[in-house]
Amino acid sequence: MGKIKTIEYFRVLPRWLFVKITDEHGNYGWGEATLEGHSQAVEGCLDAMVQRFVGYEADNIELLWQTAHRHSFYRGGPVLMSALAGIDIALWDLLSRRLKLPLHVLLGGAVRHKIKVYSWIGGDRPRDVEAAAKERHAQGFRAVKMNATEDVDWLDSPSALDTSVERCRVVKALGMDVGLDFHGRLHKPMAKQLAKALEPHKPLFIEEPLLSEHYEGIKQLSGFTTIPIALGERLYSRWDVKRFLHDTSIDVLQPDISHCGGISEIRRIASMAEAYDVALAPHCPLGPIALAACMQVAMCTPNFTIQEMGLTIHYNTEAGAYDINNYIKDKRVWDVREGYVEGLSGVGLGIEVDEEEVRSVAKEANAWAPKGFVGPDGSIREW
């Protein structure tokens, strides 16, 4: 046992927010509180948590989690839950490092020895997907994800969807599985058409076919298509998730470990999903700490199915040289072979953070700004 001595956070390129917690005996752990495009808001929340939780017993992870959530009165939402996630992940890392065990051992032990993964192709305005898919295949991936469309109007010409279907066909022809991320960009009139058009090509899943707030539309769409429906990155707690499970409107749940309160909450969400025969495929186009935390959860979660990896995702390459191989000392942990990454076997999260690089980059890293689309008439479109 040891009391929390310091809680530090580091804004780093390309768009990530890392958290380090150290106890009074010098034990430490790393977490990730990334909320893309809203770093300053999460940093403000972390400032308040630093004042509140320095001096708490570092091992009492659940007590701290419940205090942060329930004594906040205004609870949940992306900012609070992302800040809490960073602290929660760091505390689990600290505890398992202190005990010299891989984190998944503390969560019940391994149910698998390797983890199925996919990566991104195509960018915000998807293009050149054939060459990109071939490159991913050469890297060891057997599944990829891409944005289904560019920006689309509320009711657009049906021809706006033709290239989406063609891109799916091209990637499938290479022998790879492909998930299509609608990204909440489409409204119901277009989402219905695209789901129907994609069905003969058998995508792995369609993600956020509508924004999560349109739960009744997602329920309707789920009865309209045989393609598995996935969502969850914009659901921040088990309370956000429960309606979709009760409605039986989704097949794959994609909570983001850095958005939904960390390891403690994603484990509860996974157990809820298992009871409804829903698979877990955590959202993670983020940094290496969040990815390592997801991998630890995957190792011990029966209904886990596949893990997103942000390796050279367009958000990273646009920022220059920073990717998931940065900020860690052993980059081999992310080696992909025949669609799988070997389970992380090191203590804690299973990675060693390069603190010198983190502190150096954090000195000058600017916050990443949210993106957006504007239609030809000047109206705001979903991104």
Side-chain angles (χ1 to χ4, degrees), residues 214-227:
H214 300 309
Y215 52 85
E216 70 293 330
I218 292 169
K219 173 66 175 175
Q220 181 185 38
L221 191 62
S222 71
F224 181 75
T225 182
T226 61
I227 303 172

Side-chain angles (χ1 to χ4, degrees), residues 15 34 36 118 120 145 181 183 207-208 231-235 252-260 266 280-286 290-291 294 304 306-310 313 315:
R15 55 177 190 162
T34 300
E36 312 93 287
Y118 70 86
W120 268 84
K145 184 168 78 177
D181 190 352
H183 217 247
E207 180 174 332
E208 281 194 320
L231 58 76
E233 70 190 81
R234 288 185 262 200
L235 304 176
V252 183
L253 194 55
Q254 298 173 306
D256 188 305
I257 204 163
S258 285
H259 299 165
C260 75
I266 202 171
L280 186 80
H283 177 263
C284 191
L286 305 179
L291 180 57
C294 287
F304 167 84
I306 194 167
Q307 178 60 54
E308 179 175 22
M309 288 181 70
I313 191 173
Y315 304 120

Side-chain angles (χ1 to χ4, degrees), residues 124-267:
D124 276 328
R125 296 184 179 277
R127 59 180 66 86
D128 300 328
V129 297
E130 183 174 11
K134 288 178 178 178
E135 181 179 354
R136 291 301 191 199
H137 192 278
Q139 292 170 340
F141 291 97
R142 298 297 177 262
V144 293
K145 184 168 78 177
M146 59 184 172
N147 279 313
T149 66
E150 300 186 31
D151 56 305
V152 177
D153 204 355
W154 213 289
L155 176 64
D156 218 319
S157 168
S159 63
L161 306 177
D162 292 345
T163 55
S164 304
V165 177
E166 177 61 14
R167 284 190 293 270
C168 180
R169 186 197 66 78
V170 165
V171 175
K172 289 283 290 187
L174 298 174
M176 298 190 76
D177 281 318
V178 57
L180 276 295
D181 190 352
F182 286 34
H183 217 247
R185 290 176 178 176
L186 279 73
H187 298 276
K188 190 161 62 170
M190 304 305 293
K192 290 194 298 185
Q193 295 180 63
L194 183 53
K196 191 73 170 179
L198 287 170
E199 202 162 70
H201 301 282
K202 300 180 179 179
L204 191 61
F205 55 78
I206 54 175
E207 180 174 332
E208 281 194 320
L210 298 171
L211 289 169
S212 298
E213 51 259 43
H214 300 309
Y215 52 85
E216 70 293 330
I218 292 169
K219 173 66 175 175
Q220 181 185 38
L221 191 62
S222 71
F224 181 75
T225 182
T226 61
I227 303 172
I229 292 177
L231 58 76
E233 70 190 81
R234 288 185 262 200
L235 304 176
Y236 311 113
S237 72
R238 72 200 100 145
W239 295 280
D240 291 344
V241 163
K242 68 178 181 178
R243 174 149 200 165
F244 293 95
L245 297 177
H246 180 71
D247 282 352
T248 65
S249 58
I250 61 172
D251 306 286
V252 183
L253 194 55
Q254 298 173 306
D256 188 305
I257 204 163
S258 285
H259 299 165
C260 75
I263 291 168
S264 296
E265 186 70 353
I266 202 171
R267 282 280 286 168

Side-chain angles (χ1 to χ4, degrees), residues 37-98:
H38 301 281
S39 291
Q40 299 100 319
V42 178
E43 290 166 8
C45 194
L46 283 169
D47 286 335
M49 288 185 174
V50 169
Q51 294 180 12
R52 192 172 193 179
F53 294 124
V54 166
Y56 264 59
E57 286 289 342
D59 287 1
N60 291 342
I61 301 172
E62 187 63 24
L63 175 62
L64 188 148
W65 200 99
Q66 293 289 337
T67 301
H69 184 71
R70 298 171 68 184
H71 282 185
S72 294
F73 189 77
Y74 299 104
R75 61 185 65 170
V79 175
L80 174 62
M81 297 304 279
S82 295
L84 180 52
I87 289 177
D88 181 84
I89 295 168
L91 288 174
W92 277 109
D93 188 36
L94 189 157
L95 176 59
S96 48
R97 281 179 173 278
R98 184 172 65 77

